[in-house]
Amino acid sequence: MVTPAVRREAVAHLRRILGVSERRACRLIEADRASVRYRSRRGDDGPLRERLRALALERRRFGYRRLHILLCREGLAVNRKKVQRLYREEGLSVRRRRGRRRAVGTRAPLALPALPNQRWSLDFVHDQLGDGRRFRVLNIVDDVTRECLRAVVDTSLSGRRVVRELTELIAERGKPRMIVSDNGTELTSNAVLAFASTFGIEWHYIAPGRPMQNGFVESFNGRMRDELLNETLFFGLRHARAVVADWIEDYNTERPHSSLGYETPAAYAAGLRKQREGHAPPVASISTMGNSNHGSLLPAG
């Protein structure tokens, strides 16, 4: 019995079961009578608790920090610590999934260019439909803004398909200076090598067995796995494409991103573009500022 609330319950239990006085019950459990007689004047925060439960049910894998950001967006002026207390009292804590063992040691942060659309990262995520058929998702992420530029869902994604998706994306946004990927067969195919040579894009392959050299897209894959793939039963490929597209839109425009100061990737990208238009030096996390040539881009990892 540590907290005052538990001690008050113990005193009430002794008085009810044994019929002893309050003084005697407090002496038995060594409780302070003033603490036992205290009655909280704090409101029940009913509307806030109800909204917090609704958001936690809608965003099952969000912790109290992101839920606090969402509450503030809705105009609820509430302290983060209060949200943390209510979050804990309502039993909304996210159950942590066991992860694999990770190496211990000093790690250097990845160097970033200072502008959006300078470096993209690619990787694949696997999952299966309700009928057991497996499908893959090709994720393309902007390393600076953390935006997911494209998430391609299909049962098979060859090197030619990767090239086609990248060509369409370049037509929409312009080409990056560098693309980072692992050494998968689709990404080391002749089609990809010819594409990089034709467009003059530096394609950087990470060291084999070192996925954290491609940490930005790996982190995104983890969020997609935790918040979408593990939480959703897909009834068909069309359903999977629609659900993934909706989640990507929400990720880019609504979900607070901790590494961006809890801004959304779209809002952060808009801020960088505004700085660039105003001739202000752009700011990006872990970046070599004011130098956008190839020499400022260190090999990932």
Side-chain angles (χ1 to χ4, degrees), residues 1-7 35:
M1 295 178 295
V2 178
T3 64
V6 174
R7 290 178 178 271
S35 176

Side-chain angles (χ1 to χ4, degrees), residues 22 43 56 60 79 81 118-119 147 149 158 245 253 263 269:
E22 179 186 275
R60 291 166 48 89
N79 186 275
K81 293 183 179 180
Q118 297 294 297
R119 192 171 79 192
E147 290 177 286
L149 308 180
S158 64
T253 60
E263 287 190 79

Side-chain angles (χ1 to χ4, degrees), residues 161-221:
R161 178 68 180 278
V162 173
V163 167
R164 187 165 77 244
E165 297 293 339
L166 286 173
T167 303
E168 294 177 1
L169 190 57
I170 288 174
E172 297 173 6
R173 301 178 59 95
K175 70 175 184 178
R177 292 181 180 271
M178 178 185 290
I179 294 178
V180 182
S181 75
D182 59 21
N183 297 269
T185 55
E186 303 89 350
L187 304 176
T188 56
S189 63
N190 290 332
V192 169
L193 297 177
F195 161 83
S197 176
T198 300
F199 282 87
I201 298 174
E202 181 182 353
W203 197 293
H204 176 76
Y205 292 102
I206 65 174
R210 298 291 184 270
M212 285 313 299
Q213 292 183 6
N214 201 13
F216 296 107
V217 73
E218 291 287 349
S219 175
F220 174 81
N221 290 347

